[in-house]
Amino acid sequence: MAKESGKAFDFRLFKRLLAFTNKYRFTFYFVAFAAIAMSVLGVLSPHLLQLAIDRAIFAKDLPLLQYYLLLMLGVLVLEVLFQFSFIFYANWLGQNVIKDIRVKLFKLMTSFRMRYFDKSAVGRLTTRAVNDIETISSIFSQGLFMIISDLLKMAAIAGIMLYKSWRLALIVFAILPLIMYATRVFQRAMKVAFEDVRNQVANLNSFVQERITGMKIVQIFTREKTEYKRFEEINEKHKKAWVKTVWYNSIFFPIAEMASSIAIGLVVWYGGLNAAEGGVITLGIVTAFIQYSQMLFRPLRQIADKFNTLQMGMVAANRVFGILDTQSHIANTGALELDKAKGAITFENVRFGYNENEEVIKDISFEVYPGQTIAIVGATGAGKSTIINLLNRFYEINSGRILVDRNNIKEYTLASLRGQIAVVLQDVFLFADTILNNITLNNTAISEEEVIAAAKEIGVHNFITSLPNGYHYNVKERGSMLSSGQRQLIAFLRAYVSDPSILILDEATSSIDSYSEELIQRATDKITEGRTSIVIAHRLATIKKADRILVMDAGKIVESGTHEELLQRQDGYYKNLYEVQFMTEEAI
């Protein structure tokens, strides 16, 4: 990853970016050719104008004047055609490149381990995947090829000016060092300024995304004014970052314009006097030099502007490649395919911590036999949900082994392992899509008829058909159009249609009405039937039906047994938990 500094250009990063154009090599070369053709055609017009003045107008040769005018028209038409081709195909190339980068980035992000997302702001990642990648396209549409075209045009103009009149050329060239120095300083300053701009854009996106997502919390705790003030501060920093770029532009461009005007004035003064005195400089050459001077200085000013665009694209590329270079994957080196698991699960002396030197799971060992239902109970933070994360290999354990069907889960391919495990989480996430697509997750192997049949089996078909458009009802973002109980039922159905060998349930019954709870209980009974099931239990009925109960406290299994066995232990952890948490429920 390129370091973020004031260095004007990073060729290593640029070379890496150009590698994405290999698929579109023909288009790349055509755009480069069009840029060269535009520079050549742009230089021809002043030359033809000079010839028209010196050879046709002064000689009063109308046919020759018409000939030169037709040539100028032909050059103009060709220039327009090449400009059209350049603009279209440069943008086409840019959009195809960023499409490929965005697809590669998204694919990579879907393979990151959960630890990466725990430490990365969603808004910042969204900025990288959307805004920054879109900025990269400007490298091809407005930056690279336009700079090449301008540089070629400037080189051609300089050569022609020296050929036509070295004296006038030296007058113009005398002003160039000032412009070039100013351009260099401007480029370096803008590189740093644009780094700050991208940082502030990411901060702004992250803040807005989080506050909109958590708007209910903001309003419940009446934090509107506080968040408004914080937003004002972030927005002020964003404004100042942009104003700094405006400040640099406001200094540079007037200096460039003034230098251009001085050069033209000197050309007219010296060339005009020489032409009036009958020297070697003609009126046509003076006229051509006025145009050449403008054409020489305009690209310099534009190159600075285009270099800004190029630098913004490079800054964006630097950030995107920073994610592409991230090594945060669960090692998918297993060769075994878990086609249809029997469902035997073994934890052997497993230790794990989300942070170094802070273990959440402390030397846990237990075994689940095929078809068994294991309930895990314990206080918040005991490590119950972590069991789910470790079995799915969302995180790698620090030590010990986890086995499925007597094989270490690391020996299985990730896709086949997770394909045999279905999870119903406490916090159900639904996409802004139809109920059907949220159930199948766009798996074409699962038909709508199969979904309907499964819904009838677990007793949620009537609930779904009661909604507008039934299975094609759009639940909107995060399932906001459904109640928490309804979202939970959708999650149960999603797990059921995937036909897993191992089922993990993190039940959530808080804030759920009695009707939804009854449906969830029925769904639980149906989908756990004949499957190995691990249930993080919040409901007494589920715990009682479990073949075995694991009681966790502070990352350890402190008790294990059936409901009746655990209640027989005097001063046992489970008995105390039952008396505090479950006895009232049982009485009800």
Side-chain angles (χ1 to χ4, degrees):
M1 175 176 168
K3 293 181 179 179
E4 295 183 355
S5 66
K7 187 168 65 171
F9 199 75
D10 190 325
F11 285 98
R12 186 179 65 83
L13 181 65
F14 185 65
K15 183 179 179 182
R16 185 176 177 186
L17 185 62
L18 284 183
F20 283 92
T21 66
N22 290 339
K23 284 173 60 178
Y24 315 103
R25 192 175 291 108
F26 176 78
T27 303
F28 180 87
Y29 290 143
F30 175 77
V31 172
F33 172 74
I36 296 170
M38 285 166 57
S39 65
V40 173
L41 292 170
V43 171
L44 280 178
S45 294
H47 175 67
L48 292 174
L49 179 61
Q50 176 208 330
L51 295 178
I53 293 172
D54 290 342
R55 296 184 182 180
I57 294 177
F58 276 106
K60 298 180 181 180
D61 189 338
L62 184 60
L64 186 59
L65 178 61
Q66 291 174 339
Y67 170 74
Y68 283 126
L69 289 175
L70 286 174
L71 283 179
M72 292 171 67
L73 179 63
V75 169
L76 179 62
V77 170
L78 284 175
E79 195 172 4
V80 168
L81 289 174
F82 275 110
Q83 192 168 26
F84 165 78
S85 300
F86 172 83
I87 293 172
F88 178 81
Y89 285 106
N91 279 277
W92 183 91
L93 179 65
Q95 289 301 318
N96 276 277
V97 166
I98 66 170
K99 179 206 69 174
D100 293 343
I101 295 176
R102 187 177 282 127
V103 168
K104 183 176 181 180
L105 180 67
F106 184 78
K107 182 180 180 181
L108 188 73
M109 288 170 65
T110 58
S111 67
F112 282 162
R113 63 181 72 188
M114 290 298 110
R115 194 185 301 274
Y116 179 85
F117 297 104
D118 293 341
K119 298 180 180 180
S120 302
V122 175
R124 193 172 293 272
L125 292 176
T126 303
T127 299
R128 300 291 177 267
V130 181
N131 300 58
D132 284 341
I133 289 184
E134 193 63 41
T135 304
I136 292 173
S137 70
S138 62
I139 292 177
F140 301 97
S141 59
Q142 302 172 42
L144 170 66
F145 295 112
M146 288 302 294
I147 290 175
I148 291 174
S149 178
D150 287 342
L151 288 174
L152 289 172
K153 185 181 293 185
M154 289 170 62
I157 289 170
I160 290 176
M161 290 172 77
L162 285 170
Y163 173 75
K164 288 183 179 294
S165 174
W166 63 268
R167 294 180 178 85
L168 289 180
L170 291 179
I171 291 174
V172 175
F173 295 165
I175 308 297
L176 281 179
L178 172 64
I179 298 294
M180 294 177 72
Y181 176 75
T183 301
R184 182 68 172 172
V185 173
F186 178 67
Q187 289 168 356
R188 288 184 176 274
M190 290 300 284
K191 175 72 185 299
V192 176
F194 281 133
E195 291 284 357
D196 192 22
V197 166
R198 299 313 303 169
N199 278 328
Q200 296 306 326
V201 167
N203 290 338
L204 190 63
N205 284 351
S206 182
F207 183 90
V208 171
Q209 190 272 337
E210 287 179 353
R211 269 58 190 182
I212 290 175
T213 303
M215 187 57 67
K216 185 180 289 185
I217 299 299
V218 172
Q219 294 183 356
I220 286 174
F221 291 94
T222 63
R223 306 305 294 169
E224 293 92 339
K225 289 184 178 179
T226 303
E227 297 302 329
Y228 172 74
K229 288 179 181 178
R230 290 186 63 191
F231 179 76
E232 274 193 322
E233 293 172 2
I234 293 174
N235 206 28
E236 179 67 19
K237 291 179 181 178
H238 178 260
K239 183 203 74 175
K240 286 180 178 179
W242 272 110
V243 167
K244 188 181 290 186
T245 67
V246 175
W247 168 251
Y248 291 144
N249 278 290
S250 64
I251 294 174
F252 172 75
F253 286 102
I255 291 175
E257 191 65 37
M258 180 181 66
S260 176
S261 299
I262 291 173
I264 291 172
L266 291 173
V267 165
V268 173
W269 169 72
Y270 182 82
L273 287 177
N274 189 278
E277 293 173 357
V280 294
I281 300 175
T282 65
L283 185 59
I285 292 177
V286 172
T287 304
F289 261 76
I290 292 173
Q291 285 194 303
Y292 282 137
S293 299
Q294 291 176 329
M295 292 172 67
L296 186 66
F297 286 106
R298 190 184 304 120
L300 266 179
R301 298 196 299 272
Q302 290 177 347
I303 280 177
D305 196 33
K306 293 181 179 73
F307 209 94
N308 293 342
T309 300
L310 184 61
Q311 284 182 324
M312 285 191 73
M314 294 295 287
V315 168
N318 188 60
R319 295 177 181 278
V320 171
F321 285 137
I323 298 179
L324 290 175
D325 292 338
T326 300
Q327 299 298 320
S328 185
H329 305 84
I330 296 294
N332 190 16
T333 56
L336 294 178
E337 291 289 337
L338 190 60
D339 294 327
K340 190 63 179 177
K342 294 176 182 177
I345 301 171
T346 305
F347 274 59
E348 292 182 356
N349 306 112
V350 173
R351 291 182 176 272
F352 170 76
Y354 292 103
N355 301 310
E356 291 184 17
N357 304 320
E358 189 178 337
E359 284 190 341
V360 177
I361 298 296
K362 303 171 183 176
D363 197 27
I364 279 184
S365 296
F366 67 89
E367 189 167 4
V368 185
Y369 299 109
Q372 264 194 331
T373 296
I374 299 295
I376 304 177
V377 300
T380 301
K384 304 185 299 295
S385 295
T386 303
I387 299 292
I388 300 173
N389 293 331
L390 299 182
L391 185 58
N392 277 282
R393 288 194 71 196
F394 291 143
Y395 299 87
E396 294 285 34
I397 60 177
N398 296 348
S399 63
R401 293 198 307 165
I402 300 175
L403 311 177
V404 171
D405 290 354
R406 307 303 174 188
N407 291 311
N408 194 316
I409 57 174
K410 293 182 179 180
E411 297 174 7
Y412 295 116
T413 62
L414 272 176
S416 67
L417 172 68
R418 292 174 180 171
Q420 290 299 305
I421 303 172
V423 181
V424 179
L425 295 172
Q426 183 173 352
D427 183 19
V428 178
F429 187 93
L430 298 181
F431 296 95
D433 206 336
T434 64
I435 287 180
L436 178 63
N437 288 339
N438 269 289
I439 293 168
T440 65
L441 296 177
N442 295 298
N443 184 350
T444 55
I446 304 173
S447 67
E448 184 173 352
E449 290 72 23
E450 289 174 316
V451 171
I452 293 172
K456 289 178 179 178
E457 286 181 32
I458 67 172
V460 299
H461 175 70
N462 292 337
F463 140 64
I464 296 175
T465 54
S466 68
L467 297 171
N469 298 322
Y471 288 86
H472 298 279
Y473 177 67
N474 193 309
V475 300
K476 305 301 180 184
E477 188 174 3
R478 299 182 69 88
S480 61
M481 302 304 291
L482 301 177
S483 69
S484 56
Q486 290 172 330
R487 290 196 296 271
Q488 194 76 23
L489 290 169
I490 297 300
F492 272 89
L493 184 53
R494 178 161 61 193
Y496 187 55
V497 298
S498 67
D499 192 25
S501 299
I502 298 170
L503 185 66
I504 300 176
L505 302 179
D506 188 352
E507 296 185 84
T509 57
S510 57
S511 303
I512 291 178
D513 58 85
S514 58
Y515 175 71
S516 295
E517 187 170 356
E518 183 181 336
L519 288 177
I520 288 174
Q521 183 59 56
R522 178 181 170 183
T524 302
D525 294 342
K526 183 62 181 178
I527 66 176
T528 56
E529 189 178 289
R531 288 187 175 88
T532 301
S533 303
I534 298 177
V535 182
I536 296 176
H538 301 275
R539 191 190 295 110
L540 183 61
T542 305
I543 297 172
K544 282 185 172 181
K545 291 179 180 178
D547 298 305
R548 190 154 51 98
I549 301 170
L550 303 180
V551 186
M552 294 189 67
D553 182 40
K556 296 180 178 179
I557 296 176
V558 293
E559 291 178 347
S560 175
T562 64
H563 174 69
E564 290 75 15
E565 289 171 351
L566 293 174
L567 286 180
Q568 297 302 316
R569 299 186 183 183
Q570 294 300 320
D571 297 322
Y573 189 98
Y574 178 80
K575 185 176 181 180
N576 292 331
L577 183 68
Y578 168 77
E579 290 175 351
V580 172
Q581 184 173 340
F582 299 127
M583 191 172 284
T584 304
E585 181 185 339
E586 187 172 37
I588 293 173

